[in-house]
PDB file of all heavy atoms in Angstrom:
ATOM      1  N   VAL B  50     -38.154  53.500  -3.536  1.00  0.00           N
ATOM      2  CA  VAL B  50     -38.146  52.186  -4.177  1.00  0.00           C
ATOM      3  C   VAL B  50     -39.422  51.968  -4.889  1.00  0.00           C
ATOM      4  O   VAL B  50     -40.470  52.543  -4.576  1.00  0.00           O
ATOM      5  CB  VAL B  50     -37.972  51.082  -3.050  1.00  0.00           C
ATOM      6  CG1 VAL B  50     -39.170  51.080  -2.093  1.00  0.00           C
ATOM      7  CG2 VAL B  50     -37.808  49.694  -3.646  1.00  0.00           C
ATOM      8  N   ILE B  51     -39.365  51.228  -6.005  1.00  0.00           N
ATOM      9  CA  ILE B  51     -40.475  50.842  -6.798  1.00  0.00           C
ATOM     10  C   ILE B  51     -40.510  49.370  -7.036  1.00  0.00           C
ATOM     11  O   ILE B  51     -39.475  48.779  -7.351  1.00  0.00           O
ATOM     12  CB  ILE B  51     -40.587  51.637  -8.112  1.00  0.00           C
ATOM     13  CG1 ILE B  51     -41.914  51.373  -8.848  1.00  0.00           C
ATOM     14  CG2 ILE B  51     -39.334  51.369  -8.990  1.00  0.00           C
ATOM     15  CD1 ILE B  51     -42.256  52.334  -9.976  1.00  0.00           C
ATOM     16  N   TRP B  52     -41.738  48.758  -6.900  1.00  0.00           N
ATOM     17  CA  TRP B  52     -41.791  47.326  -7.093  1.00  0.00           C
ATOM     18  C   TRP B  52     -41.623  46.992  -8.542  1.00  0.00           C
ATOM     19  O   TRP B  52     -41.855  47.866  -9.463  1.00  0.00           O
ATOM     20  CB  TRP B  52     -43.111  46.803  -6.585  1.00  0.00           C
ATOM     21  CG  TRP B  52     -43.128  46.175  -5.249  1.00  0.00           C
ATOM     22  CD1 TRP B  52     -43.924  45.078  -4.888  1.00  0.00           C
ATOM     23  CD2 TRP B  52     -42.416  46.545  -4.057  1.00  0.00           C
ATOM     24  NE1 TRP B  52     -43.716  44.785  -3.566  1.00  0.00           N
ATOM     25  CE2 TRP B  52     -42.773  45.599  -3.038  1.00  0.00           C
ATOM     26  CE3 TRP B  52     -41.496  47.525  -3.762  1.00  0.00           C
ATOM     27  CZ2 TRP B  52     -42.264  45.645  -1.743  1.00  0.00           C
ATOM     28  CZ3 TRP B  52     -40.926  47.595  -2.487  1.00  0.00           C
ATOM     29  CH2 TRP B  52     -41.376  46.700  -1.526  1.00  0.00           C
ATOM     30  N   TYR B  53     -41.334  45.747  -8.879  1.00  0.00           N
ATOM     31  CA  TYR B  53     -41.053  45.327 -10.266  1.00  0.00           C
ATOM     32  C   TYR B  53     -42.226  45.629 -11.204  1.00  0.00           C
ATOM     33  O   TYR B  53     -42.023  45.959 -12.395  1.00  0.00           O
ATOM     34  CB  TYR B  53     -40.725  43.829 -10.348  1.00  0.00           C
ATOM     35  CG  TYR B  53     -41.875  42.896 -10.063  1.00  0.00           C
ATOM     36  CD1 TYR B  53     -42.549  42.350 -11.169  1.00  0.00           C
ATOM     37  CD2 TYR B  53     -42.391  42.637  -8.803  1.00  0.00           C
ATOM     38  CE1 TYR B  53     -43.666  41.536 -10.963  1.00  0.00           C
ATOM     39  CE2 TYR B  53     -43.465  41.817  -8.590  1.00  0.00           C
ATOM     40  CZ  TYR B  53     -44.088  41.190  -9.705  1.00  0.00           C
ATOM     41  OH  TYR B  53     -45.178  40.440  -9.466  1.00  0.00           O
ATOM     42  N   ASP B  54     -43.450  45.521 -10.681  1.00  0.00           N
ATOM     43  CA  ASP B  54     -44.718  45.690 -11.549  1.00  0.00           C
ATOM     44  C   ASP B  54     -45.350  47.056 -11.306  1.00  0.00           C
ATOM     45  O   ASP B  54     -46.492  47.241 -11.730  1.00  0.00           O
ATOM     46  CB  ASP B  54     -45.670  44.604 -11.185  1.00  0.00           C
ATOM     47  CG  ASP B  54     -46.086  44.527  -9.762  1.00  0.00           C
ATOM     48  OD1 ASP B  54     -45.511  45.301  -8.948  1.00  0.00           O
ATOM     49  OD2 ASP B  54     -46.902  43.677  -9.426  1.00  0.00           O
ATOM     50  N   GLU B  55     -44.622  47.996 -10.626  1.00  0.00           N
ATOM     51  CA  GLU B  55     -45.136  49.325 -10.314  1.00  0.00           C
ATOM     52  C   GLU B  55     -46.334  49.319  -9.388  1.00  0.00           C
ATOM     53  O   GLU B  55     -46.989  50.276  -9.220  1.00  0.00           O
ATOM     54  CB  GLU B  55     -45.576  50.066 -11.576  1.00  0.00           C
ATOM     55  CG  GLU B  55     -44.456  50.279 -12.562  1.00  0.00           C
ATOM     56  CD  GLU B  55     -44.861  51.091 -13.767  1.00  0.00           C
ATOM     57  OE1 GLU B  55     -44.803  52.332 -13.752  1.00  0.00           O
ATOM     58  OE2 GLU B  55     -45.281  50.480 -14.799  1.00  0.00           O
ATOM     59  N   SER B  56     -46.578  48.162  -8.698  1.00  0.00           N
ATOM     60  CA  SER B  56     -47.700  48.034  -7.827  1.00  0.00           C
ATOM     61  C   SER B  56     -47.542  48.875  -6.537  1.00  0.00           C
ATOM     62  O   SER B  56     -48.482  49.243  -5.935  1.00  0.00           O
ATOM     63  CB  SER B  56     -47.988  46.549  -7.474  1.00  0.00           C
ATOM     64  OG  SER B  56     -46.850  45.973  -6.848  1.00  0.00           O
ATOM     65  N   ASN B  57     -46.276  49.070  -6.194  1.00  0.00           N
ATOM     66  CA  ASN B  57     -45.982  49.838  -4.961  1.00  0.00           C
ATOM     67  C   ASN B  57     -44.767  50.734  -5.160  1.00  0.00           C
ATOM     68  O   ASN B  57     -43.857  50.320  -5.855  1.00  0.00           O
ATOM     69  CB  ASN B  57     -45.775  48.891  -3.796  1.00  0.00           C
ATOM     70  CG  ASN B  57     -47.048  48.294  -3.264  1.00  0.00           C
ATOM     71  OD1 ASN B  57     -47.918  48.863  -2.742  1.00  0.00           O
ATOM     72  ND2 ASN B  57     -47.108  46.926  -3.497  1.00  0.00           N
ATOM     73  N   GLU B  58     -44.826  51.889  -4.472  1.00  0.00           N
ATOM     74  CA  GLU B  58     -43.684  52.822  -4.420  1.00  0.00           C
ATOM     75  C   GLU B  58     -43.648  53.412  -3.035  1.00  0.00           C
ATOM     76  O   GLU B  58     -44.662  53.715  -2.475  1.00  0.00           O
ATOM     77  CB  GLU B  58     -43.685  53.780  -5.553  1.00  0.00           C
ATOM     78  CG  GLU B  58     -45.032  54.534  -5.654  1.00  0.00           C
ATOM     79  CD  GLU B  58     -45.165  55.304  -6.998  1.00  0.00           C
ATOM     80  OE1 GLU B  58     -45.451  54.673  -7.971  1.00  0.00           O
ATOM     81  OE2 GLU B  58     -44.996  56.529  -6.967  1.00  0.00           O
ATOM     82  N   TYR B  59     -42.401  53.546  -2.537  1.00  0.00           N
ATOM     83  CA  TYR B  59     -42.270  54.153  -1.181  1.00  0.00           C
ATOM     84  C   TYR B  59     -41.104  55.150  -1.188  1.00  0.00           C
ATOM     85  O   TYR B  59     -40.170  54.985  -2.006  1.00  0.00           O
ATOM     86  CB  TYR B  59     -41.951  53.022  -0.190  1.00  0.00           C
ATOM     87  CG  TYR B  59     -42.997  51.971  -0.144  1.00  0.00           C
ATOM     88  CD1 TYR B  59     -42.880  50.739  -0.802  1.00  0.00           C
ATOM     89  CD2 TYR B  59     -44.236  52.212   0.580  1.00  0.00           C
ATOM     90  CE1 TYR B  59     -43.906  49.760  -0.748  1.00  0.00           C
ATOM     91  CE2 TYR B  59     -45.212  51.271   0.630  1.00  0.00           C
ATOM     92  CZ  TYR B  59     -45.060  50.022  -0.082  1.00  0.00           C
ATOM     93  OH  TYR B  59     -46.016  49.098  -0.067  1.00  0.00           O
ATOM     94  N   TYR B  60     -41.188  56.112  -0.294  1.00  0.00           N
ATOM     95  CA  TYR B  60     -40.242  57.248  -0.296  1.00  0.00           C
ATOM     96  C   TYR B  60     -39.725  57.560   1.084  1.00  0.00           C
ATOM     97  O   TYR B  60     -40.363  57.310   2.066  1.00  0.00           O
ATOM     98  CB  TYR B  60     -40.985  58.479  -0.854  1.00  0.00           C
ATOM     99  CG  TYR B  60     -41.492  58.384  -2.285  1.00  0.00           C
ATOM    100  CD1 TYR B  60     -42.805  57.858  -2.501  1.00  0.00           C
ATOM    101  CD2 TYR B  60     -40.770  58.696  -3.323  1.00  0.00           C
ATOM    102  CE1 TYR B  60     -43.259  57.684  -3.774  1.00  0.00           C
ATOM    103  CE2 TYR B  60     -41.189  58.517  -4.655  1.00  0.00           C
ATOM    104  CZ  TYR B  60     -42.486  58.041  -4.806  1.00  0.00           C
ATOM    105  OH  TYR B  60     -42.949  57.877  -6.126  1.00  0.00           O
ATOM    106  N   GLY B  61     -38.518  58.104   1.007  1.00  0.00           N
ATOM    107  CA  GLY B  61     -37.906  58.614   2.334  1.00  0.00           C
ATOM    108  C   GLY B  61     -38.651  59.878   2.709  1.00  0.00           C
ATOM    109  O   GLY B  61     -39.221  60.565   1.796  1.00  0.00           O
ATOM    110  N   ASP B  62     -38.637  60.229   3.934  1.00  0.00           N
ATOM    111  CA  ASP B  62     -39.412  61.331   4.478  1.00  0.00           C
ATOM    112  C   ASP B  62     -39.037  62.644   3.796  1.00  0.00           C
ATOM    113  O   ASP B  62     -39.851  63.565   3.622  1.00  0.00           O
ATOM    114  CB  ASP B  62     -39.287  61.463   6.047  1.00  0.00           C
ATOM    115  CG  ASP B  62     -40.019  60.363   6.729  1.00  0.00           C
ATOM    116  OD1 ASP B  62     -40.884  59.689   6.090  1.00  0.00           O
ATOM    117  OD2 ASP B  62     -39.660  60.085   7.900  1.00  0.00           O
ATOM    118  N   SER B  63     -37.730  62.783   3.482  1.00  0.00           N
ATOM    119  CA  SER B  63     -37.239  64.112   3.027  1.00  0.00           C
ATOM    120  C   SER B  63     -37.667  64.458   1.627  1.00  0.00           C
ATOM    121  O   SER B  63     -37.575  65.564   1.164  1.00  0.00           O
ATOM    122  CB  SER B  63     -35.700  64.177   3.127  1.00  0.00           C
ATOM    123  OG  SER B  63     -35.122  63.186   2.283  1.00  0.00           O
ATOM    124  N   VAL B  64     -38.112  63.441   0.855  1.00  0.00           N
ATOM    125  CA  VAL B  64     -38.593  63.666  -0.528  1.00  0.00           C
ATOM    126  C   VAL B  64     -39.988  63.376  -0.798  1.00  0.00           C
ATOM    127  O   VAL B  64     -40.545  63.615  -1.877  1.00  0.00           O
ATOM    128  CB  VAL B  64     -37.718  62.897  -1.488  1.00  0.00           C
ATOM    129  CG1 VAL B  64     -36.236  63.067  -1.293  1.00  0.00           C
ATOM    130  CG2 VAL B  64     -38.040  61.347  -1.411  1.00  0.00           C
ATOM    131  N   LYS B  65     -40.711  62.847   0.219  1.00  0.00           N
ATOM    132  CA  LYS B  65     -42.096  62.463   0.066  1.00  0.00           C
ATOM    133  C   LYS B  65     -42.930  63.667  -0.367  1.00  0.00           C
ATOM    134  O   LYS B  65     -42.840  64.761   0.176  1.00  0.00           O
ATOM    135  CB  LYS B  65     -42.617  61.914   1.369  1.00  0.00           C
ATOM    136  CG  LYS B  65     -43.708  60.932   1.339  1.00  0.00           C
ATOM    137  CD  LYS B  65     -43.980  60.251   2.642  1.00  0.00           C
ATOM    138  CE  LYS B  65     -42.853  59.360   3.081  1.00  0.00           C
ATOM    139  NZ  LYS B  65     -43.121  58.668   4.344  1.00  0.00           N
ATOM    140  N   GLY B  66     -43.760  63.482  -1.419  1.00  0.00           N
ATOM    141  CA  GLY B  66     -44.653  64.532  -1.881  1.00  0.00           C
ATOM    142  C   GLY B  66     -43.964  65.399  -2.974  1.00  0.00           C
ATOM    143  O   GLY B  66     -44.611  66.236  -3.617  1.00  0.00           O
ATOM    144  N   ARG B  67     -42.622  65.308  -3.146  1.00  0.00           N
ATOM    145  CA  ARG B  67     -41.864  66.127  -4.131  1.00  0.00           C
ATOM    146  C   ARG B  67     -41.267  65.249  -5.240  1.00  0.00           C
ATOM    147  O   ARG B  67     -41.200  65.670  -6.385  1.00  0.00           O
ATOM    148  CB  ARG B  67     -40.821  66.893  -3.479  1.00  0.00           C
ATOM    149  CG  ARG B  67     -41.261  67.885  -2.397  1.00  0.00           C
ATOM    150  CD  ARG B  67     -40.148  68.649  -1.892  1.00  0.00           C
ATOM    151  NE  ARG B  67     -39.004  67.981  -1.268  1.00  0.00           N
ATOM    152  CZ  ARG B  67     -37.762  67.988  -1.754  1.00  0.00           C
ATOM    153  NH1 ARG B  67     -37.418  68.765  -2.689  1.00  0.00           N
ATOM    154  NH2 ARG B  67     -36.859  67.220  -1.104  1.00  0.00           N
ATOM    155  N   PHE B  68     -40.870  64.056  -4.923  1.00  0.00           N
ATOM    156  CA  PHE B  68     -40.232  63.152  -5.884  1.00  0.00           C
ATOM    157  C   PHE B  68     -41.190  62.010  -6.246  1.00  0.00           C
ATOM    158  O   PHE B  68     -41.943  61.569  -5.396  1.00  0.00           O
ATOM    159  CB  PHE B  68     -38.985  62.574  -5.268  1.00  0.00           C
ATOM    160  CG  PHE B  68     -37.770  63.525  -5.144  1.00  0.00           C
ATOM    161  CD1 PHE B  68     -37.989  64.882  -5.234  1.00  0.00           C
ATOM    162  CD2 PHE B  68     -36.543  63.012  -4.903  1.00  0.00           C
ATOM    163  CE1 PHE B  68     -36.933  65.743  -5.111  1.00  0.00           C
ATOM    164  CE2 PHE B  68     -35.486  63.929  -4.687  1.00  0.00           C
ATOM    165  CZ  PHE B  68     -35.679  65.275  -4.798  1.00  0.00           C
TER     166      PHE B  68
END
Side-chain angles (χ1 to χ4, degrees):
Chain B
V50 63
I51 186 168
W52 260 218
Y53 72 98
D54 58 356
E55 300 183 88
S56 59
N57 288 292
E58 51 194 77
Y59 302 100
Y60 299 90
D62 289 342
S63 62
V64 306
K65 208 171 291 184
R67 300 187 300 122
F68 290 12

